[in-house]
Amino acid sequence: MKKIVVIGSSNVDTTLHVKDFPKPGETINALDVTTAGGGKGANQAIAAAKSGAETYFISRVGEDSAGGFITHQLKSYGVDATYVQTTMGSKTGHAYITLSEAGQNSIVIDHGANYELTVEDVKAASDLIQNWDCVIAQFETPIEVTLAAFKMAKKAGKITILNPAPAIDKIPAKLLGYTDIITPNETESAKITGIPIKNKSTLATNAEKLHLLGIKNVVITYGDKGAYVSTPDVEELVPAYKVEAADTTGAGDTFIGYLASNLNSDLTNFTEAAKTASRASSIAVQRLGAQPSIPTAKEVRDAMEEDE
Ligand code: ATP
């Protein structure tokens, strides 16, 4: 069984369901308001656990009911929350999502306790990081914490996966040096490379530029068009599955959790792992909410068998 450590954010997602996005200055009525667990870190940890990997999550929540809710959610999905700490006097991170009937979203984040994750928290989990198969991190928690974790993992010969989301202005070269696999979406990739993505050829130039930064394995997710895989062995656009999307929140997180879980330790099966990840995400986008929408390994297996 794959053993995965995820470091990252825990949020409560409040989703405002609307017909269309409001224009600046406009007031509209919500069709519905729903609440679910979220945060890129927590979503990726849950995706990894649901895909069948033994998963630990390193995160911080606030001293509030939302923190208890998040921890309960993680455990209910099979994530080990031993290293999910509570910061006294802080509130849990919160994402305010506006979701249109067309399935598009826009998101405002209140990071709360997520920015209080420390290098000490990572050191406390050093046994885990040095002994498990891979470490996944994003940019919703302090970058120095990710840097410390990746350095530790690389020293121990473990695989590191950086999901550079949300996009930031400059990724430290040191962090890229410790990264085995980078998984931006099209916006995040363009932010790093300065090359807007419009088609397969710009995907290839983006991947090339990311390789020049020292990263061997690049996977650029491209929404309903698929995921561009560029590694020493493969260069291809793995197409997305054609489905009717209801809510794309968490599509990328589902993809990353499943990709990590399905990759061989020698990283020779990127295409197969990306296909499984893509199938998992295609199921997730047909359901509402980030965490509740992530399918189980059995659901993905059944869907792939039916496809054949
Ligand atoms: P989010 O931030 O909404 O979680 P993202 O922008 O990080 O998502 P995307 O590139 O939108 O990630 O999607 C990740 C993967 O999910 C895609 O590579 C694709 O396989 C799948 N996917 C996304 N949207 C759709 C869709 N509408 N139909 C089918 N598959 C989809």
Side-chain angles (χ1 to χ4, degrees):
M1 188 192 275
K2 203 69 184 265
K3 296 181 169 192
I4 296 175
V5 182
V6 181
I7 299 170
S9 55
S10 297
N11 287 334
V12 170
D13 288 353
T14 297
T15 304
L16 299 169
H17 301 257
V18 295
K19 191 167 187 323
D20 291 310
F21 289 105
K23 294 174 191 65
E26 190 184 13
T27 301
I28 59 167
N29 287 318
L31 303 172
D32 196 7
V33 180
T34 53
T35 302
K40 290 180 191 299
N43 295 346
Q44 290 172 21
I46 288 170
K50 281 189 166 182
S51 75
E54 205 173 337
T55 308
Y56 270 87
F57 185 39
I58 302 174
S59 187
R60 278 203 172 258
V61 294
E63 190 191 6
D64 49 18
S65 58
F69 167 70
I70 297 279
T71 313
H72 176 267
Q73 288 291 103
L74 288 163
K75 288 181 183 166
S76 73
Y77 290 123
V79 176
D80 193 310
T82 307
Y83 294 98
V84 177
Q85 312 260 9
T86 301
T87 303
M88 294 303 163
S90 256
K91 55 185 176 164
T92 299
H94 208 127
Y96 299 90
I97 302 167
T98 307
L99 174 65
S100 74
E101 275 192 331
Q104 294 298 304
N105 63 48
S106 70
I107 303 174
V108 178
I109 305 258
D110 174 13
H111 52 73
N114 290 315
Y115 276 15
E116 282 153 19
L117 193 71
T118 64
V119 171
E120 291 311 311
D121 293 334
V122 158
K123 285 187 182 159
S126 59
D127 262 6
L128 205 64
I129 292 171
Q130 288 162 352
N131 288 300
W132 283 41
D133 299 319
C134 80
V135 177
I136 308 176
Q138 326 73 28
F139 287 149
E140 284 186 340
T141 41
I143 213 158
E144 67 270 16
V145 177
T146 303
L147 187 61
F150 275 24
K151 188 176 175 184
M152 200 182 277
K154 281 324 299 164
K155 262 195 172 166
K158 303 300 171 188
I159 292 166
T160 54
I161 303 179
L162 179 65
N163 173 222
I168 60 169
D169 278 335
K170 179 131 184 58
I171 304 177
K174 257 192 177 168
L175 182 62
L176 295 174
Y178 293 131
T179 300
D180 291 313
I181 305 168
I182 195 162
T183 60
N185 68 11
E186 57 186 297
T187 318
E188 291 140 12
S189 183
K191 177 99 179 186
I192 301 169
T193 63
I195 306 164
I197 293 178
K198 294 189 181 116
N199 48 37
K200 201 170 166 186
S201 125
T202 43
L203 277 166
T205 12
N206 262 261
E208 220 167 278
K209 210 129 190 220
L210 292 167
H211 289 311
L212 287 174
L213 294 173
I215 304 157
K216 268 199 188 144
N217 306 287
V218 173
V219 181
I220 305 170
T221 62
Y222 196 24
D224 62 3
K225 289 176 220 61
Y228 192 78
V229 179
S230 177
T231 73
D233 307 318
V234 187
E235 187 82 39
E236 71 171 300
L237 179 61
V238 174
Y241 288 76
K242 288 238 165 305
V243 294
E244 192 76 31
D247 178 6
T248 59
T249 316
D253 298 331
T254 303
F255 186 96
I256 290 157
Y258 265 84
L259 182 78
S261 182
N262 284 280
L263 272 174
N264 293 338
S265 47
D266 59 4
L267 305 182
T268 52
N269 65 332
F270 261 99
T271 304
E272 291 73 19
K275 275 185 188 157
T276 307
S278 174
R279 193 63 176 111
S281 295
S282 77
I283 298 172
V285 301
Q286 294 174 75
R287 303 169 174 172
L288 294 183
Q291 294 171 2
S293 74
I294 302 168
T296 60
K298 183 175 181 326
E299 287 177 302
V300 178
R301 251 194 329 270
D302 289 351
M304 292 184 87
E305 271 169 27
E306 258 177 49
D307 295 337
E308 279 169 8

